[in-house]
Amino acid sequence: MTGGAAFVSHETSIPFTGISIGGDDTRVGWTVGAGLDYAFTNNWFTGLEYRYSQYEAKSFVYPIPILNLGFVGFKQELSNNQITARVGYKF
């Protein structure tokens, strides 16, 4: 079992427009996970781990520059599901 603080650095952009939203920032969050290892000889082992991470949400409001259409707002929530497999050798 594992758990603790998590940090992510990211930049958000709108595909095919070159527009960056919110700039480049770092968000704080938390992570929790569990894994299993299995030794199939005295020296060789394999393992599998699952981890879930969630980061702070942010809200953005931007003007729409085309035809003075007003403002658009949205909330961005970031999370991550990760599965890691490994094979190792003990000396």
Coordinates of all heavy atoms in Angstrom, one line a residue:
M1 N 0.8 -1.2 0.0 CA 0.0 0.0 0.0 C 0.9 1.2 0.0 O 2.0 1.2 0.6 CB -0.9 0.0 1.2 CG -1.8 -1.2 1.4 SD -3.5 -1.1 1.0 CE -4.0 0.5 1.2
T2 N 0.4 2.3 -0.7 CA 1.1 3.5 -0.7 C 0.2 4.7 -0.7 O -1.0 4.5 -1.1 CB 2.0 3.6 -2.0 OG1 2.9 4.7 -1.9 CG2 1.2 3.6 -3.2
G3 N 0.6 5.8 -0.3 CA -0.2 7.0 -0.3 C 0.6 8.2 0.1 O 1.6 8.1 0.7
G4 N 0.1 9.4 -0.2 CA 0.8 10.6 0.1 C 0.4 11.8 -0.8 O -0.6 11.8 -1.5
A5 N 1.3 12.7 -0.7 CA 1.1 14.0 -1.5 C 1.5 13.7 -3.0 O 2.4 12.8 -3.2 CB 1.9 15.1 -1.0
A6 N 0.9 14.4 -3.9 CA 1.2 14.3 -5.3 C 1.3 15.6 -5.9 O 0.6 16.6 -5.5 CB 0.2 13.4 -6.0
F7 N 2.2 15.8 -6.9 CA 2.4 17.1 -7.6 C 2.4 16.8 -9.1 O 2.9 15.8 -9.5 CB 3.7 17.7 -7.2 CG 3.8 17.9 -5.7 CD1 4.3 17.0 -4.9 CD2 3.3 19.1 -5.1 CE1 4.4 17.1 -3.5 CE2 3.4 19.3 -3.7 CZ 4.0 18.3 -3.0
V8 N 1.8 17.7 -9.8 CA 1.8 17.6 -11.3 C 2.1 19.0 -11.9 O 1.6 20.0 -11.4 CB 0.5 17.0 -11.9 CG1 -0.7 18.0 -11.6 CG2 0.6 16.7 -13.3
S9 N 3.0 19.0 -12.9 CA 3.2 20.2 -13.6 C 2.7 20.1 -15.0 O 3.0 19.0 -15.7 CB 4.8 20.5 -13.7 OG 5.0 21.6 -14.4
H10 N 1.9 21.0 -15.5 CA 1.3 20.8 -16.8 C 1.0 22.1 -17.5 O 1.1 23.2 -16.9 CB 0.0 20.1 -16.6 CG -1.1 20.9 -16.0 ND1 -2.0 21.6 -16.7 CD2 -1.3 21.2 -14.7 CE1 -2.7 22.3 -15.8 NE2 -2.3 22.0 -14.6
E11 N 0.8 22.0 -18.8 CA 0.3 23.2 -19.6 C -0.9 22.7 -20.4 O -0.9 21.7 -21.0 CB 1.4 23.6 -20.5 CG 1.0 24.9 -21.3 CD 2.1 25.3 -22.3 OE1 3.3 25.0 -22.0 OE2 1.8 26.1 -23.2
T12 N -1.9 23.5 -20.3 CA -3.2 23.2 -21.0 C -3.3 24.0 -22.2 O -3.1 25.2 -22.2 CB -4.4 23.4 -20.1 OG1 -4.2 22.7 -18.9 CG2 -5.7 23.0 -20.7
S13 N -3.7 23.4 -23.4 CA -3.9 24.1 -24.6 C -5.1 23.6 -25.3 O -5.5 22.4 -25.1 CB -2.6 24.1 -25.5 OG -2.3 22.7 -25.8
I14 N -5.6 24.4 -26.2 CA -6.8 23.9 -27.0 C -6.2 23.3 -28.3 O -5.4 24.0 -29.0 CB -7.7 25.1 -27.4 CG1 -8.3 25.7 -26.1 CG2 -8.8 24.7 -28.3 CD1 -9.0 27.0 -26.2
P15 N -6.5 22.1 -28.6 CA -5.9 21.4 -29.8 C -6.2 22.2 -31.1 O -7.2 22.8 -31.3 CB -6.6 20.1 -29.9 CG -7.1 19.8 -28.5 CD -7.4 21.2 -27.9
F16 N -5.2 22.2 -32.0 CA -5.2 22.8 -33.3 C -5.4 24.3 -33.3 O -5.6 24.9 -34.4 CB -6.3 22.2 -34.2 CG -6.3 20.7 -34.1 CD1 -7.3 20.0 -33.5 CD2 -5.2 20.0 -34.7 CE1 -7.3 18.6 -33.5 CE2 -5.2 18.6 -34.6 CZ -6.2 17.9 -34.0
T17 N -5.3 25.0 -32.2 CA -5.4 26.5 -32.2 C -4.2 27.2 -31.7 O -4.0 28.4 -32.0 CB -6.6 26.9 -31.2 OG1 -6.2 26.6 -29.9 CG2 -7.9 26.3 -31.6
G18 N -3.3 26.5 -31.0 CA -2.1 27.2 -30.4 C -2.4 28.1 -29.2 O -1.6 28.8 -28.8
I19 N -3.7 28.0 -28.7 CA -4.1 28.8 -27.6 C -3.8 28.0 -26.3 O -4.2 26.9 -26.1 CB -5.6 29.1 -27.6 CG1 -5.9 30.0 -28.9 CG2 -6.0 29.9 -26.4 CD1 -7.3 30.2 -29.1
S20 N -3.0 28.7 -25.4 CA -2.7 28.1 -24.1 C -3.7 28.6 -23.0 O -4.0 29.8 -23.0 CB -1.3 28.5 -23.7 OG -1.0 28.0 -22.4
I21 N -4.2 27.8 -22.2 CA -5.2 28.1 -21.2 C -4.6 28.0 -19.8 O -4.1 26.9 -19.4 CB -6.4 27.2 -21.3 CG1 -7.1 27.4 -22.6 CG2 -7.4 27.6 -20.2 CD1 -8.2 26.4 -22.9
G22 N -4.6 29.1 -19.1 CA -4.1 29.0 -17.7 C -2.6 28.9 -17.5 O -2.1 28.9 -16.4
G23 N -1.9 28.9 -18.6 CA -0.4 28.9 -18.5 C 0.2 27.6 -18.0 O -0.5 26.6 -17.9
D24 N 1.4 27.6 -17.6 CA 2.1 26.5 -17.1 C 2.1 26.6 -15.6 O 2.6 27.6 -15.0 CB 3.5 26.5 -17.7 CG 4.3 25.2 -17.3 OD1 3.7 24.3 -16.8 OD2 5.5 25.3 -17.5
D25 N 1.6 25.6 -14.9 CA 1.5 25.7 -13.4 C 1.7 24.3 -12.8 O 1.8 23.3 -13.5 CB 0.3 26.3 -12.9 CG -1.0 25.5 -13.1 OD1 -0.9 24.5 -13.8 OD2 -2.0 25.8 -12.5
T26 N 1.9 24.3 -11.5 CA 2.0 23.1 -10.7 C 0.8 23.0 -9.8 O 0.5 23.9 -9.1 CB 3.3 23.1 -9.9 OG1 4.4 23.2 -10.8 CG2 3.5 21.8 -9.1
R27 N 0.2 21.8 -9.7 CA -0.9 21.6 -8.8 C -0.6 20.5 -7.8 O 0.2 19.6 -8.0 CB -2.1 21.1 -9.6 CG -2.6 22.2 -10.6 CD -4.0 21.9 -11.1 NE -4.3 22.7 -12.2 CZ -5.3 22.6 -12.9 NH1 -6.3 21.7 -12.6 NH2 -5.5 23.4 -14.0
V28 N -1.2 20.7 -6.6 CA -1.0 19.8 -5.5 C -2.2 18.8 -5.4 O -3.3 19.2 -5.7 CB -0.8 20.6 -4.2 CG1 -0.7 19.7 -3.0 CG2 0.3 21.6 -4.3
G29 N -1.9 17.6 -5.0 CA -3.0 16.6 -4.8 C -2.6 15.5 -3.9 O -1.7 15.7 -3.0
W30 N -3.3 14.4 -4.1 CA -3.0 13.2 -3.2 C -2.9 12.0 -4.1 O -3.4 12.0 -5.2 CB -4.0 13.1 -2.1 CG -5.4 13.0 -2.7 CD1 -6.3 14.1 -2.9 CD2 -6.2 11.8 -3.0 NE1 -7.5 13.6 -3.4 CE2 -7.5 12.3 -3.5 CE3 -5.9 10.5 -3.1 CZ2 -8.4 11.4 -3.9 CZ3 -6.9 9.6 -3.5 CH2 -8.1 10.1 -3.9
T31 N -2.3 10.9 -3.6 CA -2.2 9.7 -4.3 C -2.4 8.5 -3.4 O -2.1 8.6 -2.2 CB -0.9 9.6 -5.1 OG1 -1.0 8.4 -5.9 CG2 0.3 9.5 -4.2
V32 N -3.0 7.4 -3.9 CA -3.1 6.2 -3.1 C -3.0 5.0 -4.0 O -3.4 5.1 -5.2 CB -4.5 6.2 -2.3 CG1 -5.7 6.1 -3.2 CG2 -4.5 5.0 -1.3
G33 N -2.4 3.9 -3.6 CA -2.3 2.8 -4.5 C -1.9 1.5 -3.7 O -1.7 1.5 -2.5
A34 N -1.9 0.4 -4.4 CA -1.5 -0.9 -3.8 C -0.8 -1.7 -4.9 O -1.1 -1.5 -6.1 CB -2.7 -1.6 -3.3
G35 N 0.0 -2.6 -4.5 CA 0.7 -3.5 -5.4 C 1.0 -4.9 -4.9 O 0.8 -5.1 -3.7
L36 N 1.5 -5.7 -5.7 CA 1.7 -7.1 -5.4 C 3.0 -7.5 -6.1 O 3.2 -7.3 -7.2 CB 0.6 -8.0 -5.8 CG 0.3 -9.3 -5.2 CD1 0.1 -9.1 -3.7 CD2 -0.9 -9.9 -5.8
D37 N 3.9 -8.2 -5.3 CA 5.1 -8.8 -5.9 C 5.1 -10.3 -5.8 O 4.5 -10.8 -4.8 CB 6.4 -8.2 -5.2 CG 6.8 -6.8 -5.6 OD1 6.4 -6.4 -6.7 OD2 7.4 -6.2 -4.8
Y38 N 5.7 -11.0 -6.7 CA 5.7 -12.4 -6.7 C 7.1 -12.9 -7.1 O 7.6 -12.5 -8.2 CB 4.7 -13.0 -7.6 CG 4.8 -14.5 -7.7 CD1 4.3 -15.4 -6.7 CD2 5.3 -15.1 -8.8 CE1 4.4 -16.7 -6.8 CE2 5.4 -16.5 -8.9 CZ 5.0 -17.3 -7.9 OH 5.1 -18.7 -8.0
A39 N 7.8 -13.7 -6.2 CA 9.1 -14.2 -6.5 C 8.9 -15.6 -7.2 O 8.4 -16.5 -6.5 CB 10.0 -14.3 -5.3
F40 N 9.3 -15.7 -8.4 CA 9.2 -17.0 -9.1 C 10.4 -17.8 -9.1 O 10.4 -19.0 -9.4 CB 8.6 -16.9 -10.5 CG 9.2 -16.0 -11.4 CD1 10.2 -16.4 -12.3 CD2 8.8 -14.6 -11.5 CE1 10.8 -15.5 -13.1 CE2 9.4 -13.8 -12.4 CZ 10.4 -14.2 -13.2
T41 N 11.6 -17.3 -8.6 CA 12.8 -18.0 -8.2 C 13.4 -17.3 -7.0 O 12.8 -16.3 -6.6 CB 13.8 -18.1 -9.4 OG1 14.4 -16.8 -9.6 CG2 13.2 -18.6 -10.7
N42 N 14.5 -17.7 -6.6 CA 15.2 -17.0 -5.4 C 15.7 -15.6 -5.9 O 15.8 -14.7 -5.0 CB 16.4 -17.8 -4.9 CG 15.9 -19.0 -4.1 OD1 14.8 -18.9 -3.5 ND2 16.7 -20.0 -3.9
N43 N 15.9 -15.4 -7.1 CA 16.5 -14.1 -7.6 C 15.5 -13.3 -8.5 O 15.6 -12.1 -8.5 CB 17.8 -14.3 -8.3 CG 18.8 -14.9 -7.5 OD1 19.0 -16.1 -7.4 ND2 19.5 -14.1 -6.7
W44 N 14.6 -13.9 -9.2 CA 13.7 -13.2 -10.1 C 12.4 -13.0 -9.5 O 11.8 -13.9 -8.8 CB 13.6 -14.0 -11.4 CG 14.8 -14.0 -12.3 CD1 15.7 -15.0 -12.3 CD2 15.1 -13.0 -13.2 NE1 16.7 -14.6 -13.2 CE2 16.4 -13.4 -13.8 CE3 14.5 -11.8 -13.6 CZ2 17.0 -12.7 -14.8 CZ3 15.2 -11.1 -14.6 CH2 16.4 -11.5 -15.1
F45 N 11.8 -11.8 -9.7 CA 10.5 -11.5 -9.2 C 9.8 -10.7 -10.3 O 10.3 -10.1 -11.2 CB 10.6 -10.8 -7.9 CG 11.2 -9.4 -7.9 CD1 10.4 -8.3 -8.1 CD2 12.6 -9.3 -7.8 CE1 11.0 -7.0 -8.2 CE2 13.1 -8.0 -7.9 CZ 12.3 -6.9 -8.1
T46 N 8.5 -10.6 -10.1 CA 7.6 -9.8 -10.9 C 6.6 -9.0 -10.0 O 6.4 -9.5 -8.9 CB 6.9 -10.6 -12.0 OG1 6.2 -9.7 -12.9 CG2 5.9 -11.6 -11.4
G47 N 6.1 -8.0 -10.5 CA 5.1 -7.2 -9.7 C 4.1 -6.4 -10.5 O 4.4 -6.1 -11.7
L48 N 3.1 -6.0 -9.9 CA 2.0 -5.2 -10.5 C 1.5 -4.2 -9.5 O 1.3 -4.6 -8.3 CB 0.9 -6.1 -11.0 CG -0.2 -5.5 -11.9 CD1 0.4 -5.1 -13.2 CD2 -1.3 -6.5 -12.1
E49 N 1.4 -2.9 -9.9 CA 1.0 -1.9 -9.0 C -0.1 -1.0 -9.6 O 0.0 -0.7 -10.8 CB 2.2 -1.0 -8.5 CG 1.8 0.1 -7.6 CD 3.0 0.9 -7.2 OE1 4.1 0.3 -6.9 OE2 2.9 2.1 -7.2
Y50 N -1.1 -0.6 -8.8 CA -2.1 0.3 -9.3 C -2.0 1.6 -8.4 O -1.9 1.5 -7.2 CB -3.5 -0.2 -9.2 CG -4.6 0.8 -9.4 CD1 -4.9 1.2 -10.7 CD2 -5.3 1.4 -8.4 CE1 -5.9 2.2 -10.9 CE2 -6.2 2.3 -8.5 CZ -6.5 2.8 -9.8 OH -7.5 3.7 -10.0
R51 N -2.1 2.8 -9.0 CA -2.1 4.0 -8.3 C -3.1 5.0 -8.9 O -3.2 5.2 -10.1 CB -0.7 4.6 -8.3 CG -0.6 5.9 -7.5 CD 0.8 6.5 -7.5 NE 1.7 5.5 -6.8 CZ 3.0 5.7 -6.7 NH1 3.5 6.7 -7.2 NH2 3.7 4.8 -6.1
Y52 N -3.8 5.6 -8.0 CA -4.8 6.7 -8.4 C -4.3 8.0 -7.8 O -4.0 8.1 -6.6 CB -6.2 6.4 -7.9 CG -7.2 7.5 -8.2 CD1 -7.7 7.7 -9.4 CD2 -7.5 8.4 -7.2 CE1 -8.6 8.7 -9.7 CE2 -8.4 9.5 -7.5 CZ -8.9 9.6 -8.7 OH -9.8 10.6 -9.0
S53 N -4.3 9.1 -8.6 CA -3.9 10.4 -8.1 C -4.9 11.4 -8.5 O -5.5 11.3 -9.6 CB -2.5 10.8 -8.7 OG -1.5 9.9 -8.4
Q54 N -5.2 12.4 -7.6 CA -6.1 13.4 -7.9 C -5.5 14.8 -7.5 O -4.9 14.8 -6.5 CB -7.5 13.2 -7.2 CG -8.5 14.3 -7.6 CD -9.9 13.9 -7.0 OE1 -10.1 12.8 -6.6 NE2 -10.7 14.9 -7.0
Y55 N -5.7 15.8 -8.3 CA -5.1 17.1 -8.1 C -6.1 18.2 -8.0 O -7.3 18.0 -8.4 CB -4.1 17.4 -9.3 CG -3.2 16.3 -9.5 CD1 -3.4 15.3 -10.5 CD2 -2.0 16.2 -8.8 CE1 -2.5 14.3 -10.7 CE2 -1.1 15.2 -9.0 CZ -1.3 14.2 -9.9 OH -0.5 13.2 -10.1
E56 N -5.7 19.3 -7.4 CA -6.7 20.4 -7.2 C -7.3 20.9 -8.5 O -6.7 20.8 -9.6 CB -6.0 21.6 -6.5 CG -4.9 22.2 -7.3 CD -4.2 23.3 -6.6 OE1 -4.8 24.1 -5.9 OE2 -2.9 23.3 -6.7
A57 N -8.6 21.2 -8.4 CA -9.3 21.7 -9.6 C -9.1 23.2 -9.7 O -8.8 23.9 -8.8 CB -10.8 21.4 -9.4
K58 N -9.3 23.7 -11.0 CA -9.1 25.1 -11.3 C -10.3 25.6 -12.2 O -10.7 24.8 -13.1 CB -7.8 25.5 -11.9 CG -6.7 25.7 -11.0 CD -5.6 26.4 -11.7 CE -4.6 26.9 -10.7 NZ -3.4 27.5 -11.3
S59 N -10.8 26.8 -12.0 CA -11.8 27.4 -12.8 C -11.1 28.5 -13.7 O -10.3 29.2 -13.2 CB -12.9 27.9 -12.0 OG -13.6 26.9 -11.3
F60 N -11.6 28.6 -14.9 CA -11.1 29.6 -15.9 C -12.2 30.3 -16.5 O -13.3 29.7 -16.8 CB -10.2 28.9 -17.0 CG -9.1 28.1 -16.5 CD1 -9.1 26.8 -16.3 CD2 -7.8 28.8 -16.3 CE1 -8.0 26.0 -15.8 CE2 -6.7 28.0 -15.8 CZ -6.8 26.7 -15.6
V61 N -12.0 31.6 -16.8 CA -13.0 32.4 -17.5 C -12.2 33.2 -18.5 O -11.3 33.9 -18.2 CB -13.8 33.3 -16.6 CG1 -14.8 34.2 -17.4 CG2 -14.6 32.5 -15.5
Y62 N -12.6 33.1 -19.8 CA -11.9 33.8 -20.9 C -12.9 34.5 -21.8 O -14.0 33.9 -22.1 CB -11.1 32.8 -21.7 CG -9.9 32.3 -21.0 CD1 -9.9 31.1 -20.3 CD2 -8.7 33.0 -21.0 CE1 -8.8 30.6 -19.7 CE2 -7.6 32.5 -20.3 CZ -7.6 31.3 -19.7 OH -6.6 30.9 -19.0
P63 N -12.5 35.7 -22.3 CA -13.4 36.3 -23.3 C -13.3 35.6 -24.7 O -12.2 35.1 -25.0 CB -12.8 37.7 -23.4 CG -11.4 37.6 -22.9 CD -11.4 36.4 -22.0
I64 N -14.4 35.6 -25.4 CA -14.3 35.0 -26.8 C -14.1 36.2 -27.7 O -15.0 37.1 -27.8 CB -15.6 34.3 -27.1 CG1 -15.9 33.2 -26.1 CG2 -15.6 33.7 -28.5 CD1 -17.2 32.5 -26.3
P65 N -12.9 36.2 -28.4 CA -12.6 37.4 -29.2 C -13.4 37.6 -30.5 O -13.3 38.6 -31.1 CB -11.1 37.3 -29.4 CG -10.9 35.8 -29.4 CD -11.9 35.3 -28.4
I66 N -14.1 36.5 -30.9 CA -14.8 36.6 -32.2 C -16.2 37.2 -32.0 O -17.0 36.7 -31.2 CB -14.9 35.2 -32.8 CG1 -13.5 34.6 -32.9 CG2 -15.6 35.2 -34.1 CD1 -13.5 33.1 -33.2
L67 N -16.5 38.2 -32.7 CA -17.8 38.9 -32.7 C -18.3 39.3 -31.3 O -19.5 39.3 -31.1 CB -18.9 37.9 -33.4 CG -18.6 37.5 -34.8 CD1 -19.6 36.5 -35.3 CD2 -18.6 38.7 -35.7
N68 N -17.4 39.5 -30.4 CA -17.8 39.9 -29.0 C -18.8 39.0 -28.4 O -19.9 39.5 -27.9 CB -18.2 41.4 -29.0 CG -17.1 42.3 -29.3 OD1 -16.0 42.1 -28.9 ND2 -17.3 43.4 -30.0
L69 N -18.6 37.7 -28.5 CA -19.6 36.7 -28.0 C -19.7 36.6 -26.5 O -20.5 35.9 -26.0 CB -19.3 35.4 -28.6 CG -19.5 35.3 -30.1 CD1 -19.1 33.9 -30.6 CD2 -21.0 35.6 -30.5
G70 N -18.8 37.3 -25.8 CA -18.9 37.3 -24.3 C -17.8 36.5 -23.7 O -16.6 36.5 -24.2
F71 N -18.1 35.7 -22.7 CA -17.1 34.9 -22.0 C -17.4 33.5 -22.0 O -18.6 33.1 -22.0 CB -17.0 35.4 -20.5 CG -16.5 36.8 -20.4 CD1 -17.4 37.9 -20.4 CD2 -15.1 37.1 -20.2 CE1 -16.9 39.2 -20.3 CE2 -14.7 38.3 -20.1 CZ -15.5 39.4 -20.1
V72 N -16.4 32.7 -21.9 CA -16.6 31.2 -21.7 C -15.9 30.8 -20.4 O -14.8 31.3 -20.1 CB -16.1 30.4 -22.9 CG1 -14.6 30.6 -23.1 CG2 -16.4 28.9 -22.8
G73 N -16.5 30.0 -19.6 CA -15.9 29.5 -18.4 C -16.0 28.0 -18.3 O -16.9 27.4 -18.8
F74 N -15.0 27.5 -17.6 CA -15.0 26.0 -17.4 C -14.1 25.7 -16.2 O -13.3 26.5 -15.7 CB -14.4 25.3 -18.7 CG -13.0 25.6 -19.0 CD1 -12.0 24.9 -18.5 CD2 -12.7 26.7 -19.9 CE1 -10.7 25.2 -18.9 CE2 -11.4 27.0 -20.2 CZ -10.4 26.2 -19.7
K75 N -14.4 24.5 -15.7 CA -13.7 24.0 -14.5 C -12.8 22.8 -15.0 O -13.4 21.9 -15.7 CB -14.7 23.5 -13.4 CG -14.0 23.0 -12.2 CD -15.0 22.7 -11.2 CE -14.4 22.2 -9.9 NZ -15.4 21.8 -8.9
Q76 N -11.6 22.8 -14.6 CA -10.7 21.7 -15.0 C -10.3 20.9 -13.8 O -9.8 21.4 -12.8 CB -9.4 22.3 -15.7 CG -8.5 21.2 -16.2 CD -7.2 21.8 -16.7 OE1 -6.6 22.6 -16.0 NE2 -6.8 21.5 -17.9
E77 N -10.6 19.6 -13.9 CA -10.3 18.6 -12.8 C -9.3 17.6 -13.4 O -9.5 17.1 -14.5 CB -11.5 17.9 -12.3 CG -12.5 18.9 -11.7 CD -13.8 18.2 -11.2 OE1 -14.0 17.0 -11.5 OE2 -14.6 18.9 -10.6
L78 N -8.2 17.4 -12.7 CA -7.1 16.5 -13.1 C -7.1 15.3 -12.2 O -7.0 15.4 -11.0 CB -5.8 17.2 -13.1 CG -5.6 18.4 -14.0 CD1 -4.2 19.0 -13.8 CD2 -5.8 18.0 -15.5
S79 N -7.0 14.1 -12.8 CA -6.8 12.9 -12.1 C -6.0 11.9 -13.0 O -6.0 12.1 -14.2 CB -8.1 12.2 -11.6 OG -8.9 11.9 -12.7
N80 N -5.5 10.9 -12.4 CA -4.7 9.9 -13.1 C -4.8 8.5 -12.5 O -4.8 8.3 -11.3 CB -3.2 10.4 -13.0 CG -2.3 9.5 -13.8 OD1 -2.6 9.1 -15.0 ND2 -1.1 9.2 -13.3
N81 N -5.0 7.5 -13.4 CA -5.0 6.1 -13.1 C -3.8 5.5 -13.7 O -3.6 5.7 -14.9 CB -6.2 5.4 -13.6 CG -7.5 5.8 -12.9 OD1 -7.7 5.4 -11.8 ND2 -8.3 6.6 -13.6
Q82 N -3.0 4.8 -12.9 CA -1.7 4.3 -13.4 C -1.5 2.8 -13.0 O -1.7 2.5 -11.8 CB -0.5 5.1 -12.9 CG 0.8 4.7 -13.3 CD 1.9 5.6 -12.7 OE1 1.6 6.5 -12.0 NE2 3.1 5.3 -13.1
I83 N -1.2 2.0 -14.0 CA -0.8 0.6 -13.7 C 0.6 0.4 -14.1 O 1.0 0.7 -15.2 CB -1.8 -0.4 -14.4 CG1 -3.2 -0.2 -13.9 CG2 -1.3 -1.8 -14.2 CD1 -4.2 -1.0 -14.7
T84 N 1.4 -0.2 -13.2 CA 2.8 -0.4 -13.5 C 3.1 -1.9 -13.3 O 2.8 -2.5 -12.3 CB 3.7 0.4 -12.5 OG1 3.4 1.8 -12.6 CG2 5.2 0.2 -12.9
A85 N 3.8 -2.5 -14.3 CA 4.2 -3.9 -14.2 C 5.7 -3.9 -14.2 O 6.4 -3.0 -14.8 CB 3.7 -4.7 -15.4
R86 N 6.3 -4.8 -13.5 CA 7.8 -4.8 -13.4 C 8.3 -6.3 -13.3 O 7.6 -7.2 -12.8 CB 8.3 -4.0 -12.2 CG 7.8 -4.5 -10.9 CD 8.1 -3.6 -9.7 NE 7.4 -3.9 -8.5 CZ 6.2 -3.3 -8.2 NH1 5.7 -2.4 -9.1 NH2 5.6 -3.6 -7.1
V87 N 9.5 -6.5 -13.7 CA 10.3 -7.7 -13.6 C 11.6 -7.3 -13.1 O 12.2 -6.3 -13.5 CB 10.4 -8.5 -14.9 CG1 11.3 -9.7 -14.8 CG2 9.1 -8.9 -15.5
G88 N 12.1 -8.0 -12.0 CA 13.4 -7.6 -11.5 C 14.2 -8.8 -11.1 O 13.8 -10.0 -11.0
Y89 N 15.5 -8.5 -10.8 CA 16.5 -9.5 -10.4 C 17.2 -9.1 -9.2 O 17.7 -8.0 -9.1 CB 17.5 -9.8 -11.5 CG 18.5 -10.9 -11.2 CD1 18.2 -12.2 -11.4 CD2 19.7 -10.5 -10.7 CE1 19.1 -13.2 -11.1 CE2 20.7 -11.5 -10.4 CZ 20.3 -12.8 -10.6 OH 21.2 -13.8 -10.2
K90 N 17.2 -9.9 -8.1 CA 17.9 -9.6 -6.8 C 19.3 -10.2 -6.9 O 19.5 -11.4 -7.3 CB 17.2 -10.3 -5.7 CG 16.0 -9.7 -5.2 CD 15.5 -10.2 -3.8 CE 15.6 -11.7 -3.7 NZ 14.9 -12.3 -2.5
F91 N 20.3 -9.4 -6.5 CA 21.7 -9.9 -6.5 C 21.9 -10.5 -5.1 O 21.4 -10.1 -4.1 CB 22.6 -8.7 -6.7 CG 22.6 -8.2 -8.1 CD1 21.8 -7.2 -8.5 CD2 23.3 -8.9 -9.1 CE1 21.7 -6.7 -9.8 CE2 23.2 -8.4 -10.4 CZ 22.4 -7.4 -10.8

